[in-house]
Short mmCIF file of all heavy atoms in Angstrom, two decimals:
data_model
loop_
_atom_site.label_atom_id
_atom_site.label_comp_id
_atom_site.label_asym_id
_atom_site.label_seq_id
_atom_site.Cartn_x
_atom_site.Cartn_y
_atom_site.Cartn_z
N TYR A 1 0.85 -1.23 -0.04
CA TYR A 1 -0.01 0.01 0.00
C TYR A 1 0.89 1.24 0.00
O TYR A 1 1.77 1.40 0.90
CB TYR A 1 -0.93 -0.01 1.22
CG TYR A 1 -1.80 1.21 1.44
CD1 TYR A 1 -2.33 1.86 0.32
CD2 TYR A 1 -2.17 1.59 2.72
CE1 TYR A 1 -3.23 2.93 0.49
CE2 TYR A 1 -3.00 2.67 2.88
CZ TYR A 1 -3.53 3.34 1.76
OH TYR A 1 -4.44 4.45 1.96
N VAL A 2 0.75 2.06 -0.98
CA VAL A 2 1.44 3.32 -1.07
C VAL A 2 0.51 4.46 -0.81
O VAL A 2 -0.53 4.58 -1.41
CB VAL A 2 2.12 3.53 -2.48
CG1 VAL A 2 2.80 4.86 -2.56
CG2 VAL A 2 3.13 2.35 -2.76
N THR A 3 0.87 5.36 0.12
CA THR A 3 -0.04 6.44 0.44
C THR A 3 0.74 7.66 0.97
O THR A 3 1.95 7.65 0.88
CB THR A 3 -0.99 5.90 1.61
OG1 THR A 3 -1.97 6.92 1.90
CG2 THR A 3 -0.28 5.61 2.90
N GLY A 4 0.01 8.67 1.28
CA GLY A 4 0.69 9.93 1.74
C GLY A 4 0.54 11.04 0.71
O GLY A 4 0.42 10.82 -0.49
N PRO A 5 0.60 12.28 1.16
CA PRO A 5 0.32 13.40 0.28
C PRO A 5 1.40 13.62 -0.84
O PRO A 5 1.10 14.27 -1.77
CB PRO A 5 0.36 14.61 1.24
CG PRO A 5 1.17 14.14 2.40
CD PRO A 5 0.90 12.72 2.56
N PHE A 6 2.53 12.99 -0.73
CA PHE A 6 3.54 13.18 -1.77
C PHE A 6 3.90 11.84 -2.45
O PHE A 6 4.92 11.80 -3.15
CB PHE A 6 4.80 13.81 -1.17
CG PHE A 6 4.55 15.16 -0.57
CD1 PHE A 6 4.60 15.44 0.72
CD2 PHE A 6 4.13 16.19 -1.49
CE1 PHE A 6 4.33 16.72 1.24
CE2 PHE A 6 3.87 17.46 -0.98
CZ PHE A 6 3.90 17.77 0.39
N ALA A 7 3.13 10.80 -2.25
CA ALA A 7 3.44 9.56 -2.88
C ALA A 7 3.45 9.64 -4.42
O ALA A 7 4.14 8.97 -5.13
CB ALA A 7 2.45 8.49 -2.45
N ASN A 8 2.53 10.52 -4.93
CA ASN A 8 2.42 10.67 -6.41
C ASN A 8 2.72 12.06 -6.82
O ASN A 8 2.12 12.63 -7.77
CB ASN A 8 1.06 10.26 -6.87
CG ASN A 8 1.05 9.95 -8.38
OD1 ASN A 8 1.99 9.52 -8.89
ND2 ASN A 8 -0.16 10.18 -8.93
N SER A 9 3.54 12.77 -6.06
CA SER A 9 3.88 14.18 -6.33
C SER A 9 5.12 14.36 -7.10
O SER A 9 6.20 13.86 -6.75
CB SER A 9 4.02 14.92 -4.96
OG SER A 9 4.53 16.21 -5.16
N ALA A 10 5.03 15.19 -8.21
CA ALA A 10 6.27 15.57 -8.92
C ALA A 10 6.87 16.79 -8.28
O ALA A 10 8.12 16.95 -8.31
CB ALA A 10 5.81 15.87 -10.39
N ASP A 11 6.06 17.70 -7.65
CA ASP A 11 6.59 18.83 -7.03
C ASP A 11 7.61 18.53 -5.91
O ASP A 11 8.61 19.20 -5.74
CB ASP A 11 5.48 19.68 -6.40
CG ASP A 11 4.79 20.59 -7.47
OD1 ASP A 11 5.41 20.74 -8.55
OD2 ASP A 11 3.77 21.09 -7.18
N MET A 12 7.32 17.41 -5.21
CA MET A 12 8.20 16.96 -4.11
C MET A 12 9.60 16.60 -4.65
O MET A 12 10.59 16.67 -3.90
CB MET A 12 7.57 15.75 -3.42
CG MET A 12 8.39 15.15 -2.31
SD MET A 12 9.50 13.88 -2.94
CE MET A 12 8.32 12.67 -3.47
N LEU A 13 9.68 16.23 -5.93
CA LEU A 13 10.94 15.75 -6.43
C LEU A 13 11.96 16.91 -6.61
O LEU A 13 13.19 16.66 -6.53
CB LEU A 13 10.77 15.06 -7.73
CG LEU A 13 9.83 13.82 -7.77
CD1 LEU A 13 9.63 13.35 -9.25
CD2 LEU A 13 10.39 12.64 -6.90
N ILE A 14 11.56 18.10 -6.87
CA ILE A 14 12.32 19.06 -7.53
C ILE A 14 12.93 20.18 -6.64
O ILE A 14 13.87 20.80 -7.08
CB ILE A 14 11.62 19.72 -8.73
CG1 ILE A 14 10.31 20.40 -8.34
CG2 ILE A 14 11.30 18.67 -9.80
CD1 ILE A 14 9.61 21.06 -9.43
N GLY A 15 12.42 20.36 -5.47
CA GLY A 15 13.00 21.39 -4.63
C GLY A 15 12.87 22.78 -5.20
O GLY A 15 12.09 23.10 -6.12
N SER A 16 13.84 23.71 -4.81
CA SER A 16 13.91 25.00 -5.34
C SER A 16 14.84 25.20 -6.47
O SER A 16 15.77 24.29 -6.63
CB SER A 16 14.15 26.01 -4.21
OG SER A 16 15.43 25.78 -3.73
N TYR A 17 14.74 26.29 -7.21
CA TYR A 17 15.66 26.54 -8.32
C TYR A 17 15.78 25.32 -9.26
O TYR A 17 16.86 24.79 -9.43
CB TYR A 17 17.05 26.95 -7.75
CG TYR A 17 17.07 28.39 -7.32
CD1 TYR A 17 16.75 28.73 -6.00
CD2 TYR A 17 17.44 29.43 -8.23
CE1 TYR A 17 16.79 30.03 -5.56
CE2 TYR A 17 17.42 30.77 -7.76
CZ TYR A 17 17.12 31.06 -6.46
OH TYR A 17 17.13 32.35 -6.04
N TYR A 18 14.69 24.96 -9.79
CA TYR A 18 14.62 23.69 -10.56
C TYR A 18 14.43 23.97 -12.07
O TYR A 18 14.05 24.98 -12.50
CB TYR A 18 13.42 22.86 -10.07
CG TYR A 18 12.14 23.67 -10.05
CD1 TYR A 18 11.32 23.79 -11.15
CD2 TYR A 18 11.76 24.23 -8.86
CE1 TYR A 18 10.18 24.55 -11.06
CE2 TYR A 18 10.56 25.00 -8.80
CZ TYR A 18 9.78 25.16 -9.92
OH TYR A 18 8.64 25.91 -9.84
N GLY A 19 14.78 22.93 -12.81
CA GLY A 19 14.55 22.94 -14.26
C GLY A 19 13.26 22.18 -14.54
O GLY A 19 12.48 21.86 -13.62
N VAL A 20 12.97 21.90 -15.77
CA VAL A 20 11.80 21.13 -16.18
C VAL A 20 12.27 19.93 -16.99
O VAL A 20 13.24 19.95 -17.70
CB VAL A 20 10.76 22.00 -16.99
CG1 VAL A 20 10.18 23.06 -16.13
CG2 VAL A 20 11.45 22.62 -18.20
N SER A 21 11.51 18.82 -16.79
CA SER A 21 11.86 17.59 -17.40
C SER A 21 10.63 16.88 -17.84
O SER A 21 9.58 16.99 -17.18
CB SER A 21 12.64 16.68 -16.37
OG SER A 21 12.74 15.34 -16.88
N SER A 22 10.71 16.08 -18.84
CA SER A 22 9.62 15.29 -19.36
C SER A 22 9.59 13.90 -18.76
O SER A 22 8.89 13.03 -19.15
CB SER A 22 9.68 15.16 -20.90
OG SER A 22 10.99 14.61 -21.25
N ASN A 23 10.42 13.73 -17.67
CA ASN A 23 10.57 12.39 -17.11
C ASN A 23 10.63 12.38 -15.59
O ASN A 23 11.50 11.79 -15.00
CB ASN A 23 11.89 11.77 -17.64
CG ASN A 23 12.02 10.29 -17.35
OD1 ASN A 23 11.04 9.56 -17.28
ND2 ASN A 23 13.23 9.82 -17.16
N LEU A 24 9.70 13.07 -14.96
CA LEU A 24 9.63 13.09 -13.50
C LEU A 24 8.95 11.82 -12.95
O LEU A 24 7.79 11.62 -13.22
CB LEU A 24 8.84 14.38 -13.04
CG LEU A 24 9.48 15.76 -13.34
CD1 LEU A 24 8.45 16.84 -13.20
CD2 LEU A 24 10.66 15.96 -12.51
N VAL A 25 9.76 11.06 -12.24
CA VAL A 25 9.30 9.73 -11.78
C VAL A 25 8.86 9.85 -10.34
O VAL A 25 9.73 10.01 -9.47
CB VAL A 25 10.32 8.65 -12.00
CG1 VAL A 25 9.80 7.31 -11.57
CG2 VAL A 25 10.82 8.63 -13.42
N THR A 26 7.59 9.78 -10.00
CA THR A 26 7.13 9.89 -8.64
C THR A 26 7.40 8.57 -7.92
O THR A 26 7.74 7.60 -8.42
CB THR A 26 5.62 10.18 -8.59
OG1 THR A 26 4.93 9.00 -9.11
CG2 THR A 26 5.28 11.39 -9.45
N ILE A 27 7.26 8.65 -6.61
CA ILE A 27 7.50 7.43 -5.80
C ILE A 27 6.52 6.36 -6.19
O ILE A 27 6.89 5.19 -6.31
CB ILE A 27 7.26 7.82 -4.28
CG1 ILE A 27 8.13 9.02 -3.86
CG2 ILE A 27 7.62 6.59 -3.42
CD1 ILE A 27 9.61 8.91 -3.98
N LEU A 28 5.27 6.72 -6.36
CA LEU A 28 4.28 5.72 -6.78
C LEU A 28 4.67 5.03 -8.04
O LEU A 28 4.59 3.80 -8.22
CB LEU A 28 2.87 6.36 -6.92
CG LEU A 28 1.79 5.42 -7.44
CD1 LEU A 28 1.58 4.32 -6.41
CD2 LEU A 28 0.48 6.28 -7.64
N GLU A 29 5.17 5.84 -9.04
CA GLU A 29 5.55 5.25 -10.33
C GLU A 29 6.77 4.39 -10.14
O GLU A 29 6.89 3.31 -10.79
CB GLU A 29 5.83 6.41 -11.28
CG GLU A 29 4.62 7.17 -11.73
CD GLU A 29 4.94 8.42 -12.56
OE1 GLU A 29 6.01 9.08 -12.31
OE2 GLU A 29 4.12 8.79 -13.34
N GLY A 30 7.69 4.77 -9.37
CA GLY A 30 8.90 3.93 -9.12
C GLY A 30 8.51 2.65 -8.52
O GLY A 30 9.09 1.55 -8.92
N ILE A 31 7.65 2.66 -7.52
CA ILE A 31 7.23 1.39 -6.86
C ILE A 31 6.45 0.52 -7.78
O ILE A 31 6.60 -0.71 -7.85
CB ILE A 31 6.50 1.68 -5.61
CG1 ILE A 31 7.46 2.37 -4.54
CG2 ILE A 31 5.78 0.45 -5.01
CD1 ILE A 31 6.77 2.87 -3.27
#
């Protein structure tokens, strides 16, 4: 079971001063 507010979040991956990518892999996608 995968849960939590950032399990499927791309914003959580990138922090501040970020670029843009066509390949943001969320935790849910990785699992």
Side-chain angles (χ1 to χ4, degrees):
Y1 178 33
V2 178
T3 188
F6 297 114
N8 198 31
S9 167
D11 278 347
M12 175 274 293
L13 302 173
I14 59 180
S16 64
Y17 282 89
Y18 50 85
V20 291
S21 167
S22 56
N23 190 32
L24 294 167
V25 183
T26 67
I27 309 298
L28 177 62
E29 290 171 331
I31 292 173

